[in-house]
């Protein structure tokens, strides 16, 4: 069964969603992310994806206190990303209770440092963030596009032991227009043993079923849940 991972995105300590990563298209869903996390746990979810959007913008972790509030009030397995640029940021995230961290921009701008972190923390603790716009990897809170193409970018790290990849199709994110299934199928065809986490565009249960049918191991969703478009009782939790 596909792994189901609800998301909490944080700005100013609030649970929000953006559209296509645009900070000017922000919708606040809840002022208490820890309560949202407890609700997810009560529904039967055991994983949670937390993104520090303030951190992504400011290039260092900002919402670690909110992360700690989530991890101390639930037993959810939390992966945390956004603004992780230094080892201090990673240590902060783990100290606040994250089970895994998602690192994207550093893997583009400083591959040697990323591999040092891989060796120190292990492939189970590090998720490679691969956010894609127009086929290129995007960095720094989706503010900049790099020259890196997705598949070669992934290959260099999969060859070195990366096992977990979170891939967001930015043009789909927050749009409720359906996920980029063909893109994910392409990745899985190239790397069938990869634990690929699909992110962006999920609008309903059918989208999740379509990803599962395509052999995608895991999916992140947020807006569709908050907008009441996902029928939790049909997810088989």
């Amino acid at each position: 069964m596909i792994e189901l991972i609800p998301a909490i995105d944080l700005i100013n300590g609030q649970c929000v969603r953006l559209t296509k990563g645009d900070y000017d298209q922000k919708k606040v869903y809840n002022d208490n992310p820890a309560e949202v996390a407890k609700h997810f746990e009560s529904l039967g979810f055991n994983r949670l994806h937390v993104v520090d959007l303030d951190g992504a913008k400011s290039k260092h972790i900002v919402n670690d206190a909110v992360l700690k509030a989530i991890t101390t009030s639930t037993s959810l397995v939390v992966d945390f990303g956004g603004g992780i640029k230094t080892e201090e940021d990673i240590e902060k995230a783990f100290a606040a209770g994250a089970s895994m961290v998602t690192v994207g921009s550093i893997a583009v701008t400083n591959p040697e440092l990323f591999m040092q972190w891989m060796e120190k923390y292990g492939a189970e603790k590090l998720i490679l963030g691969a956010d894609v716009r127009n086929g290129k990897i995007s960095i720094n809170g989706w503010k900049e596009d790099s020259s890196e193409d997705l598949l070669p970018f992934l290959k260099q790290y999969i060859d070195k032991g990366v096992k977990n990849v979170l891939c967001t199709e930015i043009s789909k994110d927050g749009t409720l227009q359906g996920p980029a299934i063909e893109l994910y199928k392409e990745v899985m065809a190239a790397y069938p043993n990869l634990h690929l986490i699909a992110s962006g565009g999920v609008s309903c249960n059918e989208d999740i079923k379509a990803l599962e049918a395509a052999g995608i191991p895991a999916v992140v969703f947020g807006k569709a849940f908050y907008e009441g478009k996902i029928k939790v009782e049909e997810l088989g939790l």
Side-chain angles (χ1 to χ4, degrees):
M1 182 180 166
I2 192 167
E3 186 176 24
L4 303 167
I5 311 173
I8 291 178
D9 291 0
L10 301 171
I11 291 179
N12 296 329
Q14 297 174 310
C15 177
V16 307
R17 295 301 288 176
L18 307 181
T19 299
K20 298 183 183 180
D22 184 350
Y23 284 74
D24 292 327
Q25 295 187 61
K26 178 185 79 173
K27 184 171 181 178
V28 177
Y29 285 98
N30 197 294
D31 288 331
N32 192 331
E35 288 300 319
V36 176
K38 284 196 269 190
H39 180 55
F40 281 133
E41 187 174 42
S42 74
L43 292 172
F45 294 102
N46 53 34
R47 271 286 301 271
L48 181 64
H49 175 61
V50 176
V51 183
D52 184 350
L53 291 172
D54 293 314
K57 203 172 186 180
S58 57
K59 302 185 182 181
H60 61 84
I61 285 182
V62 173
N63 285 292
D64 51 312
V66 181
L67 171 62
K68 188 165 188 177
I70 289 169
T71 60
T72 53
S73 60
T74 73
S75 57
L76 293 165
V77 175
V78 179
D79 71 84
F80 181 84
I84 293 178
K85 307 293 187 196
T86 64
E87 198 163 310
E88 182 186 5
D89 288 321
I90 293 181
E91 294 291 347
K92 259 190 189 177
F94 286 142
S99 299
M100 293 163 273
V101 293
T102 301
V103 179
S105 300
I106 288 297
V108 175
T109 60
N110 195 336
E112 287 182 10
L113 181 59
F114 181 84
M115 286 312 302
Q116 285 174 23
W117 292 348
M118 266 278 293
E119 286 158 22
K120 178 168 183 176
Y121 297 103
E124 301 303 330
K125 289 277 193 180
L126 227 59
I127 299 171
L128 174 62
D131 301 328
V132 185
R133 180 163 44 210
N134 300 321
K136 303 289 187 184
I137 299 294
S138 186
I139 60 174
N140 293 330
W142 303 349
K143 297 294 180 196
E144 304 168 43
D145 292 335
S146 75
S147 59
E148 297 268 5
D149 291 311
L150 176 60
L151 290 180
F153 172 75
L154 294 180
K155 185 179 190 306
Q156 66 178 315
Y157 288 116
I158 292 168
D159 287 349
K160 292 174 181 173
V162 162
K163 297 176 181 175
N164 301 291
V165 170
L166 174 72
C167 184
T168 302
E169 170 49 77
I170 295 168
S171 69
K172 298 278 191 178
D173 194 66
T175 65
L176 301 175
Q177 292 176 356
I181 293 178
E182 293 307 313
L183 176 72
Y184 303 131
K185 283 166 74 172
E186 190 181 346
V187 173
M188 291 307 299
Y191 311 112
N193 296 319
L194 183 66
H195 188 75
L196 177 66
I197 306 165
S199 170
V202 170
S203 67
C204 59
N205 292 58
E206 285 66 33
D207 286 339
I208 294 172
K209 289 175 188 171
L211 287 165
E212 186 170 31
I216 311 307
V219 58
V220 165
F221 52 87
K223 194 170 191 175
F225 176 87
Y226 297 117
E227 298 280 348
K229 295 180 183 296
I230 287 182
K231 299 179 180 73
V232 175
E233 65 276 9
E234 294 177 10
L235 290 175
L237 294 168

